[in-house]
Amino acid sequence: MTENLIQMTIFSGYLWSAFRILGHTKSGENPTTKNYRSITQLILLVVLISHLFLLINEIKGGAETKFGLDTAILVIFWMATSFYWLFSFFYKLEILYSLVVFCSAAILPITTILPSNNLFSGSYPSIFGIHLVLSMMAYSIFTIAGLHTLLMAITQKHLNSGKIPHYIQSLPPLLTLEKILFQMIFVGIFLLSLSLITGMFFLEQTTGQVIEFNHKIVFGWLSWIIFICLITGRMLLGWRGRVAINCTIIGYTFLLLSYIGTRLVGEIILAT
């Protein structure tokens, strides 16, 4: 009962913060707006800290460590919101910020219907914990990049049509959005590379093999290759616009399939 009440409070906090952030786009920069934004940031920080304690309790609360599909999704969106909370001090993209926070709110009730049957028992090498954290961080950064790409596609469509709604007018120029996207992808590739490397060390310690050809690993490496090709094409051939959007969507799709997709099949589809 207490845990359900905490979850409802966190859900309400995310939802309230998302609407307040969206309200930032309706006013210009002035002392009142800055105070409004500061209060929103403070409240959202409290919500994130509360959610973190709830996640820790869910993962380590029992005799065994629990990290199933539901927990993985919650951690990814918690990290995504936390990262964007930090990004928001440098980039004023309230539309994307509110979308990330709203997704964190929406995912809370959704995960309650997902199974929680993946328990880690026994001891694992310390490299496994590092690999797991790096993987979740990479997922969260690319989740933001995926939502950012969606926003870019919508912006490009409105610019081509000549009908620009208010929320698009509040955004930076498309070239600036593109620059921010590639900054996210650079960070995401770095984290994904570390995740793949630590995964190889973990496999070597547990199975004696450096790599295995299963769905998770194949899709993970395909995602990494696509993002590396995108960055290379950006630097050498000046790839941008629709090419950058399509490559990001494809790369993120493979990344989703590498863990979330395989867990979805293993814990829900095949289990039914």
Side-chain angles (χ1 to χ4, degrees), residues 85-227:
W85 185 87
L86 292 173
F87 293 164
S88 65
F89 288 100
F90 306 97
Y91 304 116
K92 295 297 183 288
L93 294 173
E94 269 74 12
I95 296 297
L96 182 58
Y97 191 11
S98 63
L99 180 59
V100 172
V101 178
F102 179 79
C103 286
S104 290
I107 214 70
L108 278 168
I110 293 174
T111 52
T112 58
I113 63 174
L114 297 177
S116 304
N117 56 357
N118 184 31
L119 300 176
F120 296 122
S121 57
S123 59
Y124 282 83
S126 57
I127 193 71
F128 175 74
I130 298 172
H131 166 70
L132 191 61
V133 171
L134 288 170
S135 298
M136 295 299 101
M137 290 175 69
Y139 263 106
S140 63
I141 292 294
F142 280 121
T143 295
I144 298 174
L147 293 172
H148 189 93
T149 302
L150 177 64
L151 182 62
M152 284 179 58
I154 294 172
T155 302
Q156 196 171 58
K157 181 180 178 180
H158 282 297
L159 289 175
N160 292 337
S161 68
K163 298 178 181 178
I164 307 175
H166 170 74
Y167 69 89
I168 296 295
Q169 294 177 10
S170 66
L171 292 172
L174 198 57
L175 287 176
T176 302
L177 292 176
E178 196 172 83
K179 180 182 177 181
I180 295 171
L181 173 65
F182 277 98
Q183 290 173 347
M184 293 179 186
I185 291 174
F186 268 113
V187 175
I189 287 176
F190 175 72
L191 292 170
L192 182 57
S193 300
L194 291 178
S195 170
L196 292 170
I197 292 170
T198 53
M200 292 168 65
F201 278 111
F202 171 67
L203 277 176
E204 195 276 330
Q205 291 182 18
T206 55
T207 67
Q209 299 177 344
V210 176
I211 193 168
E212 289 182 350
F213 290 97
N214 56 44
H215 296 87
K216 178 182 176 182
I217 294 174
V218 170
F219 283 131
W221 278 104
L222 282 174
S223 175
W224 183 84
I225 290 170
I226 288 171
F227 283 121

Side-chain angles (χ1 to χ4, degrees), residues 64-80:
E64 295 179 303
T65 300
K66 188 192 82 172
F67 203 87
L69 177 63
D70 58 336
T71 310
I73 294 174
L74 286 171
V75 169
I76 289 168
F77 277 94
W78 178 86
M79 285 187 172

